[in-house]
Amino acid sequence: FPAHTRDARYLDRLKAAYPIHPEVFDRLYEDWASLENFQRTRGVLRLMAMVVHRLWSDGNPDWMILPGSLPLYDTQVRNEMLRFLPQGWEPVMERDVDGARSIPTEIDEMNPGLGSLQAARRVARSIFLGSAPASTGPRIRGINAEYVRLGCAQPGQPAGKYDDALRHLADQLHYLYSVNDRYWYDTQTNLRREAESRMSRFHRDEHLIPELRDRLKSLIKGGPFTGVHVFT
């Protein structure tokens, strides 16, 4: 976890901020408050009222409300956060962050060890909260793995599960970027999505096999054999 959390004063912050984790306030007051139309006091109060109401209704068992606890699957909470961001964040949220059809939800459902903690969804929410506002200015992009763990892990949970979830997300998401152990979302698709898009334009029998045949013929043209038959 980040070094400053080992300071005794951080325990005082935890107590003073209860039942909301200080990391939530730090991200909202330091990052989201940099957005032009986000009001530091009224905006935070309005958002957290929605968050607390939904978590209470769902019977959420978290010890504190962490960045990874934010119910971004809730339409009201999601829209409240998206209205402060530029156009283009809706597909990022729906596909790569949270919701019934999102990839993090799919990862949790396919991996019981992660799903028992909602690890992929919690990691995705933490990265979103810590990185979305930075896309609008010259701020340092993303949060590192220490802050991802801080935004997800609770007492008694193996923090390594969240590291595993982070690796799954980095391998499968289309809008998640990572450089030098920092992770962030962007409205532009990453290299993985671009590769998938280009691959989808080509078909095995129509494009790949003829191309392979032509290349093989050119490579062995004029070789020691009288006749060469490729893919007969």
Side-chain angles (χ1 to χ4, degrees):
F1 298 101
H4 73 273
T5 62
R6 303 184 187 96
D7 192 302
R9 289 173 294 182
Y10 200 73
L11 177 59
D12 296 332
R13 291 196 63 201
L14 285 167
K15 292 178 179 179
Y18 184 84
I20 300 169
H21 196 282
E23 182 64 11
V24 174
F25 287 128
D26 287 346
R27 299 284 67 80
L28 291 175
Y29 282 122
E30 295 175 14
D31 300 337
W32 287 77
S34 66
L35 299 175
E36 186 174 336
N37 57 345
F38 187 88
Q39 297 174 312
R40 285 174 60 95
T41 301
R42 185 177 300 177
V44 172
L45 285 173
R46 176 182 169 89
L47 173 64
M48 294 313 300
M50 296 178 184
V51 168
V52 170
H53 178 266
R54 183 57 196 257
L55 293 179
W56 177 268
S57 300
D58 290 349
N60 185 278
D62 290 355
W63 292 34
M64 296 184 78
I65 298 175
L66 295 147
S69 310
L70 298 182
L72 299 179
Y73 53 84
D74 179 85
T75 302
Q76 191 176 20
V77 174
R78 174 186 299 196
N79 291 342
E80 179 67 14
M81 302 201 76
L82 289 178
R83 74 186 184 93
F84 299 112
L85 298 173
Q87 291 294 320
W89 279 95
E90 290 84 354
V92 181
M93 178 73 79
E94 183 175 353
R95 184 179 182 90
D96 276 17
V97 182
D98 204 359
R101 295 180 295 177
S102 69
I103 296 177
T105 297
E106 181 180 320
I107 292 173
D108 281 339
E109 291 175 347
M110 294 181 63
N111 297 270
L114 302 180
S116 62
L117 303 176
Q118 294 191 1
R121 279 168 282 184
R122 294 172 73 85
V123 168
R125 296 165 189 160
S126 296
I127 296 174
F128 174 79
L129 184 67
S131 69
S135 66
T136 61
R139 302 171 62 86
I140 298 175
R141 303 300 300 273
I143 58 175
N144 62 27
E146 291 181 344
Y147 279 91
V148 172
R149 297 186 201 106
L150 181 64
C152 298
Q154 299 185 84
Q157 293 181 346
K161 291 288 186 180
Y162 296 105
D163 294 336
D164 291 342
L166 183 57
R167 284 190 287 270
H168 278 281
L169 295 178
D171 288 340
Q172 298 184 42
L173 297 189
H174 292 160
Y175 296 94
L176 180 65
Y177 290 77
S178 63
V179 175
N180 298 328
D181 191 41
R182 297 188 72 87
Y183 300 85
W184 70 92
Y185 284 109
D186 198 286
T187 55
Q188 301 297 317
T189 54
N190 57 29
L191 187 60
R192 173 188 175 83
R193 179 65 182 125
E194 178 65 23
E196 289 181 355
S197 176
R198 294 190 182 193
M199 287 170 59
S200 68
R201 304 173 196 167
F202 300 97
H203 303 283
R204 180 182 182 274
D205 293 336
E206 183 181 354
H207 300 103
L208 300 184
I209 295 301
E211 179 69 17
L212 288 170
R213 183 174 58 244
D214 293 343
R215 292 197 184 196
L216 284 172
K217 283 183 177 180
S218 66
L219 287 172
I220 55 181
K221 185 177 182 180
F225 302 106
T226 302
V228 176
H229 306 278
V230 179
F231 298 156
T232 56

